[in-house]
């Protein structure tokens, strides 16, 4: 059973950088697309971006200037950095996997982490 | 890029069928057969229910089905059960390297 686990600070100050890591257990991180998706309290889902195990990335244009997703295949982890955060970035952040037989554009996410709440506040 | 439009809420009685719509534009839902659906219970991560408009992942009940007509995709749940009560989100590729979600629909089983 593949398990994804997000980790990182639950509180970030405005204008600082949000940093999260997703650890993949019980399977290799190779040959998949990995995404970050967030959900503000009481609201809908927002896809942030994705990374292939080779390191190629795609980001939503509205966040592209502030976001970076990286991957460490040796640790079976991938990470999210979001700079210059504001209260609008307060959300539950999920990491998720696209099935091996699909491309990331499918919008298919078959495995999700449990999510981690990140609050932006001074 | 705007979020896809879903009804805020739908309801149905056990055993009935309900349909949740997901309306986009000719640039997203209308252009690609790349619509997926997710079920989310309170406090839980979303669950993968449908991909590529109408395909069901292994393990998902055949009571769940997806379809698309023009710029609107739909999720139909037949034989409604109490455990189907949840929020449902659609997702579509919108071209230019963008994935967008709907605002979500709260399903109440009466």
């Amino acid at each position: 059973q593949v398990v994804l686990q997000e980790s990182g600070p639950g509180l970030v100050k405005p204008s600082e950088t949000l940093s999260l890591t997703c650890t993949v257990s019980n399977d290799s991180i190779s040959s998949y697309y990995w995404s970050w998706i967030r959900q503000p309290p009481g609201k809908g889902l927002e896809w942030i971006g994705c990374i292939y195990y080779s390191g190629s990335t795609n980001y939503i244009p509205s966040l592209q200037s502030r976001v970076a997703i990286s991957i460490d295949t040796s640790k079976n982890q991938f990470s999210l950095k979001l700079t210059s955060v504001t209260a609008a970035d307060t959300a539950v952040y999920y990491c998720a996997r696209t099935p091996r037989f699909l491309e990331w554009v499918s919008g298919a996410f078959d495995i999700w982490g449990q999510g981690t709440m990140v609050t932006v506040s001074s | 890029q705007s979020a896809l439009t879903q009804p805020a809420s739908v309801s149905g009685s056990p055993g009935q069928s309900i349909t949740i719509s997901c309306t986009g534009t000719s640039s997203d839902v209308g252009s690609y057969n790349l619509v997926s659906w997710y079920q989310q219970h309170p406090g839980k991560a979303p669950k993968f229910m449908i991909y590529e408009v109408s395909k069901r992942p292994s393990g998902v009940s055949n009571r769940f089905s997806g379809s698309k007509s023009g710029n609107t995709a739909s999720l139909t749940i037949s034989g409604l059960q109490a455990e189907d009560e949840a929020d449902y989100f659609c997702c579509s590729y919108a071209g230019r390297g963008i994935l967008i979600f709907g605002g979500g629909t709260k399903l109440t089983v009466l």
Side-chain angles (χ1 to χ4, degrees), chain B residues 11-54:
Chain B
S11 62
S13 299
Q16 288 185 331
S17 293
I18 63 94
T19 296
I20 299 171
S21 62
C22 170
T23 300
T25 70
S26 58
S27 297
D28 40 66
V29 175
S31 284
Y32 307 97
N33 289 324
L34 296 172
V35 177
S36 52
W37 288 91
Y38 297 87
Q39 175 192 67
Q40 186 179 36
H41 288 106
K44 301 293 187 181
K47 178 185 175 184
F48 185 37
M49 305 300 288
I50 296 285
Y51 68 101
E52 291 180 346
V53 175
S54 60

Side-chain angles (χ1 to χ4, degrees), chain A residues 39 45 94 105 107-109 113, chain B residues 36 38 40 45 48 52 93 101:
Chain A
Q39 185 172 32
L45 300 164
Y94 294 100
V105 294
F109 306 107
Chain B
S36 52
Y38 297 87
Q40 186 179 36
F48 185 37
E52 291 180 346
Y93 182 60
F101 282 91

Side-chain angles (χ1 to χ4, degrees), chain A residues 20-59:
Chain A
L20 297 174
T21 295
C22 181
T23 300
V24 180
S25 302
N26 304 322
D27 196 5
S28 172
I29 203 168
S30 297
S31 304
Y32 290 101
Y33 287 97
W34 304 93
S35 286
W36 286 98
I37 295 160
R38 68 182 182 179
Q39 185 172 32
K43 296 188 177 180
L45 300 164
E46 180 181 41
W47 176 79
I48 297 170
C50 68
I51 189 165
Y52 194 46
Y53 77 103
S54 62
S56 64
T57 55
N58 291 276
Y59 303 126

Side-chain angles (χ1 to χ4, degrees), chain B residues 3 10 30 35 42-44 51 57 59 61 76-77 90 92 94 96 98 106:
Chain B
V10 298
V35 177
K44 301 293 187 181
Y51 68 101
S61 170
T76 297
I77 309 173
C90 60
S92 174
R96 295 176 291 118
I98 302 170
K106 182 177 179 60

